[in-house]
Amino acid sequence: MRYRGIGSGDFERFRVLNERDADISNITVPQINDGLRMTLHMLARREARFIHTVAPEMKVVWSRDNPSYNVAMLFLCMRGGYEVLAPQSRFVREPGMTLILPGAEPIEYRMMQPVNEIVQIVLNPRLFMDILPGFPACASAAQTLPILDQRVLSPLMEYVASSCVISSQHPAAAEDVGLAMYATARNVLLTTFGQLAHAKSSLYTQAMEYILRHQTDPGLILAHVARYCGVASRTMQQVFRDEGTSFTRMLQQTRAEAALRLRGDHPSLTLSQIAEQCGFGSLSSLSRALRAADKAMDAR
């Protein structure tokens, strides 16, 4: 989706690519230098949204109502400068990187130079937690990280910016683009704030991170997780017990959630195919896990 700014608080839509939830009508611009041109390109898929903006001095408010409720957002500065004024749940890394956690508080920021260029990566809470599991609990805004060499991120930022003008609507191409967007978002988030998340991550957080990464392996066992965390299997059992759960239960739940998503996204797949792709050793174990997941959702 591409937009052109035509004045304070006003956007003219002149091209729509795909994805119904790519609307940005909940963005307002209370202040802008109307004498200079603003361009905004956005590529929206289920896996992520990429936004590339070139703009003059301006103030922007993005109210996180539908369809943007509760998203996480990463700002990356390519030229000029910006300042995030709200929300409070933000993490900053120099030069020019700001991570805003999922929440309902409106995102408010301003461009600070005559010409500013930023890219933004937007993720829903589930995808954000897939990449940085446990981040809100284990990270502190007071923690600091060394300045990141901009050359490390430049190729990824250029890719995000250039991908925002992709216009193919072929279903197969769109699916490939979505997977590439998620892989890129993962690389950028881990590069910019992965160190902060891992610095004080608990054993439970590290264990869940490993389970999420290896849930499709039907041979995944507790000993593998314990080895990754550098502790004995008995210690790992106690870690899950302290959280009121068990390794087996969390593995089953993680696989069941993956199966439910796969069933919803690809209704033509058979249960056998879903079982194989989600790491279930048998069709009966998948069926039991799906029934348990459906009951849990109904109970909510």
Side-chain angles (χ1 to χ4, degrees), residues 167-237:
S167 58
S168 173
Q169 296 190 40
H170 191 279
E175 184 173 352
D176 290 342
V177 167
L179 294 175
M181 290 173 71
Y182 177 78
T184 301
R186 180 181 179 83
N187 286 339
V188 174
L189 277 169
L190 289 176
T191 300
T192 53
F193 289 95
Q195 183 180 348
L196 183 63
H198 187 69
K200 291 189 177 180
S201 60
S202 66
L203 284 174
Y204 178 74
T205 298
Q206 293 178 45
M208 288 307 302
E209 179 182 13
Y210 188 87
I211 289 173
L212 285 168
R213 289 179 180 176
H214 299 86
Q215 62 184 6
T216 58
D217 178 5
L220 180 60
I221 58 175
L222 178 67
H224 297 162
V225 180
R227 189 180 306 118
Y228 170 78
C229 296
V231 299
S233 295
R234 184 174 299 178
T235 302
M236 201 72 254
Q237 285 178 327

Side-chain angles (χ1 to χ4, degrees), residues 3-11 24 27-40 51-62 75 81-85 108-118 120:
Y3 290 78
R4 177 179 56 202
I6 59 174
S8 180
D10 195 4
F11 287 88
I24 60 169
I27 290 181
T28 58
V29 184
Q31 299 174 11
I32 187 171
N33 185 339
D34 288 336
L36 298 175
R37 183 181 179 185
M38 169 191 170
T39 62
L40 186 153
I51 304 171
H52 176 221
T53 307
V54 179
E57 294 177 82
M58 61 185 292
K59 181 179 179 180
V60 180
V61 178
W62 188 346
F75 287 79
Y82 71 93
E83 179 184 15
V84 176
L85 308 173
E108 183 178 332
Y109 60 97
R110 66 185 182 94
M111 308 288 195
M112 302 172 62
Q113 302 296 327
V115 179
N116 307 277
E117 182 178 9
I118 65 169
Q120 295 156 264

Side-chain angles (χ1 to χ4, degrees), residues 229-249:
C229 296
V231 299
S233 295
R234 184 174 299 178
T235 302
M236 201 72 254
Q237 285 178 327
Q238 187 60 49
V239 167
F240 282 104
R241 195 176 297 120
D242 290 343
E243 295 292 332
T245 185
S246 67
F247 163 75
T248 301
R249 187 181 305 164

Side-chain angles (χ1 to χ4, degrees), residues 262-263 265-274 277:
L262 193 61
R263 186 175 65 177
D265 294 342
H266 302 281
S268 61
L269 290 178
T270 66
L271 286 179
S272 296
Q273 291 171 321
I274 293 175
Q277 293 186 35

